[in-house]
Amino acid sequence: MKVTMLGCGYVGLVSGACFAEFGANVTCFDVDKKKVDRLQDGEMLIYEPGLSDLVKKNVNQGRLSFTESLNTCIPDSDLIFVAVGTPTRRGDGHADLTYVYQAVQNIAPLLNGYTVIVDKSTVPVGTARNVKRVILETNPEADFDVASNPEFLREGAAISDLMRPDRVVIGIENKRAEEALRELYRPMSLIETPIFSTDLESAELIKYASNAFLATKISFINEISMLCDEVGADIHAVAKGMGMDSRIGEKFLRPGPGFGGSCFPKDTQALVRTAQEHGASSRIIETVIEVNEAQKARMIKKIREALGGKESGKTLAVLGLTFKPETDDMREAPSLAILPKLIENGCYINAHDPKGVGEAKALLPNSIKYFDDIYITMENADAVVLMTEWDVYCNLDMEVVKQKLNTPIFIDLRNIYEPETMNLLGFEYSCIGR
Ligand SMILES: NC(=O)c1ccc[n+]([C@@H]2O[C@H](COP(=O)([O-])OP(=O)(O)OC[C@H]3O[C@@H](n4cnc5c(N)ncnc54)[C@H](O)[C@@H]3O)[C@@H](O)[C@H]2O)c1
């Protein structure tokens, strides 16, 4: 099958490489010519484990290529995936669909022969039908269908999520489009992945409802962790005991500094806006967003308390800046809310992150000092703040940590270490809900 991927970001690039691995002939297009040039030169634009090798392999085997020209790929395509960004629209929280409609307008005049145009971007209910309208306005003769195929990958585990997902959701209007998508995903039938087909609107809503539900689990456990702090319960025991109930499940029940990333914050907001537009209630999701903001603010209070009630003049060694490990993505990372506030309150920040520093420098205050070595980050600092649970922070040499710090204060916002062990090692250790 001939596939064109519109957008070479996290989703476009990873899904393009995975579809090529399934055997499709994939061309990835991006409006950003610099990105295309770099990809053509064999450079990876993002950090995602395994991606570089997968891209190289499929480029070498002739199934994956990158282009700046729609004329060369669109007319031959059986399937065209829209994988462009849908960020929050400034001012109102809606998903900004500018890039989606631009992408669709660009391809409409070039369609040739039967083509399925598939929304892989996360788009509000009704977008697929609007995409259809836009194409028909530009090219009334075009032989095409629209489909929705929302993406559920997690950054940091994107390739396995794409190659071995829990399910593939496809929203279609007719059998012809369904067959084209089922053909693309055929290798997945070998590993018995359920391919769930439904109508366009339901597929679009499945994506938002799933993200909102996962965000709800996170905000829920964060709120319960606050109660644990007050009553002396252990959030890990509570989460484990809850998760053993198969109706609840153990995943996404780990407390932290609040959810971030390129999806949950914007998708929860967009779902609230969609509900409001249709006069439907969205009280749970609105509260989830509020609880998440409060959780980030609570982390500042926690850090202040760990520092003896005053953070002004203190130097903090911050480990981890990205919203989660194994990605360089800084979008909506809790560090972006927490660190500027600490600096405003008079803190000095030394920071380390295995992959996120390049992005972080553009988004965080200039006063932050960045270090390549974890332990040098801690030299003469008054406390460590573990912000993101990268593997390299999970087995620190605590003797060296103590030597480097002015005061042995360790604030673990990811609950990596055991409170008892840390106290025995001589740290004043604080974490969340334990
Ligand atoms: N990142 C994730 O973890 C993730 C997971 C699931 C779903 N999604 C959804 O997938 C979509 C893409 O997300 P992303 O993280 O890959 O975004 P991204 O910002 O990393 O990449 C988007 C790319 O689209 C390109 N682009 C913009 N307009 C274009 C056009 N008209 N034609 C071609 N390319 C164009 C941009 O230059 C950019 O390279 C979003 O809707 C997002 O919500 C993201």
Side-chain angles (χ1 to χ4, degrees):
M1 297 190 93
K2 291 217 163 105
V3 173
T4 294
M5 191 61 65
L6 302 175
C8 296
Y10 282 85
V11 168
L13 188 54
V14 179
S15 16
C18 290
F19 289 152
E21 183 70 10
F22 289 162
N25 194 323
V26 181
T27 308
C28 296
F29 165 86
D30 202 290
V31 276
D32 185 338
K33 290 188 172 35
K34 280 191 205 131
K35 283 192 177 181
V36 176
D37 286 346
R38 288 168 63 195
L39 287 164
Q40 283 173 336
D41 287 345
E43 204 187 316
M44 259 329 87
L45 306 177
I46 52 169
Y47 173 71
E48 181 62 43
L51 182 63
S52 176
D53 288 346
L54 191 71
V55 168
K56 255 184 228 151
K57 177 183 162 196
N58 282 283
V59 167
N60 289 340
Q61 294 180 357
R63 289 190 300 269
L64 180 63
S65 60
F66 304 98
T67 185
E68 293 171 8
S69 156
L70 289 171
N71 294 318
T72 54
C73 53
I74 297 300
D76 288 342
S77 296
D78 301 304
L79 290 158
I80 299 172
F81 282 85
V82 181
V84 301
T86 50
T88 300
R89 192 163 71 193
R90 208 178 273 264
D92 67 3
H94 267 289
D96 183 348
L97 298 178
T98 312
Y99 305 112
V100 171
Y101 292 127
Q102 265 169 8
V104 168
Q105 269 155 357
N106 291 343
I107 60 161
L110 303 171
L111 295 174
N112 178 30
Y114 179 67
T115 319
V116 185
I117 291 115
V118 192
D119 278 334
K120 197 162 236 338
S121 297
T122 303
V123 289
V125 175
T127 305
R129 287 195 196 280
N130 283 334
V131 163
K132 185 173 177 177
R133 193 178 39 76
V134 169
I135 295 175
L136 281 174
E137 277 167 12
T138 314
N139 185 352
E141 305 302 317
D143 180 16
F144 74 102
D145 279 309
V146 289
S148 164
N149 174 217
E151 183 47 59
F152 299 94
L153 66 79
R154 292 162 302 168
E155 287 175 17
I159 292 175
S160 58
D161 283 351
L162 253 151
M163 306 285 278
R164 290 178 291 283
D166 289 339
R167 82 306 202 185
V168 172
V169 172
I170 53 182
I172 28 80
E173 281 188 299
N174 57 44
K175 279 273 164 223
R176 201 175 174 199
E178 180 177 0
E179 273 161 23
L181 275 159
R182 282 188 182 273
E183 175 63 20
L184 177 71
Y185 282 110
R186 200 157 48 88
M188 284 194 183
S189 57
L190 298 174
I191 51 169
E192 294 182 8
T193 301
I195 299 192
F196 176 61
S197 52
T198 179
D199 58 276
L200 294 172
E201 286 74 12
S202 302
E204 290 169 332
L205 197 50
I206 285 169
K207 172 64 190 175
Y208 279 101
S210 301
N211 273 1
F213 192 79
L214 293 172
T216 303
K217 276 186 106 175
I218 296 174
S219 276
F220 181 85
I221 208 67
N222 280 340
E223 205 161 53
I224 297 291
S225 76
M226 190 161 28
L227 185 56
C228 287
D229 274 334
E230 298 305 321
V231 301
D234 179 342
I235 190 64
H236 287 197
V238 174
K240 187 162 189 185
M242 286 171 64
M244 283 170 171
D245 185 330
S246 59
R247 292 170 303 177
I248 297 173
E250 64 187 16
K251 294 191 177 146
F252 280 74
L253 289 181
R254 203 176 166 97
F259 58 76
S262 66
C263 292
F264 288 179
K266 82 171 173 65
D267 293 348
T268 44
Q269 275 194 49
L271 186 52
V272 167
R273 289 290 169 265
T274 303
Q276 285 171 346
E277 245 175 25
H278 289 84
S281 164
S282 59
R283 276 156 52 198
I284 292 175
I285 310 156
E286 286 168 45
T287 307
V288 165
I289 297 169
E290 256 174 54
V291 169
N292 196 51
E293 290 309 307
Q295 184 70 359
K296 291 185 248 177
R298 199 179 139 219
M299 296 302 105
I300 293 159
K301 194 163 159 254
K302 193 172 265 301
I303 293 167
R304 179 179 308 136
E305 280 166 7
L307 293 167
K310 190 168 165 255
E311 65 268 51
S312 177
K314 301 282 169 62
T315 300
L316 302 176
V318 175
L319 302 185
L321 299 168
T322 52
F323 81 101
K324 66 194 272 193
E326 296 300 332
T327 179
D328 55 358
D329 199 343
M330 284 291 299
R331 286 178 283 186
E332 300 287 332
S335 65
L336 294 179
I338 296 170
L339 299 187
K341 194 81 197 135
L342 289 169
I343 292 169
E344 211 180 291
N345 295 353
C347 280
Y348 302 98
I349 306 287
N350 293 347
H352 179 276
D353 190 282
K355 297 286 175 194
V357 171
E359 277 288 300
K361 279 184 179 165
L363 300 168
L364 283 166
N366 291 334
S367 64
I368 295 179
K369 291 185 186 148
Y370 297 92
F371 295 84
D372 292 334
D373 182 281
I374 300 174
Y375 295 103
I376 295 178
T377 313
M378 298 175 195
E379 249 162 24
N380 296 320
D382 297 298
V384 168
V385 178
L386 202 161
M387 186 82 76
T388 314
E389 69 278 32
W390 284 90
D391 280 350
V392 284
Y393 305 144
C394 295
N395 204 5
L396 294 173
D397 184 334
M398 290 302 174
E399 284 310 316
V400 182
V401 174
K402 259 197 306 185
Q403 266 171 29
K404 298 284 180 195
L405 290 173
N406 285 339
T407 40
I409 299 174
F410 199 109
I411 306 155
D412 183 355
L413 303 185
R414 296 290 178 169
N415 288 4
I416 297 300
Y417 291 99
E418 286 301 315
E420 267 182 29
T421 319
M422 290 298 278
N423 291 334
L424 281 174
L425 285 167
F427 283 95
E428 285 175 43
Y429 175 78
S430 21
C431 55
I432 301 177
R434 299 185 88 190

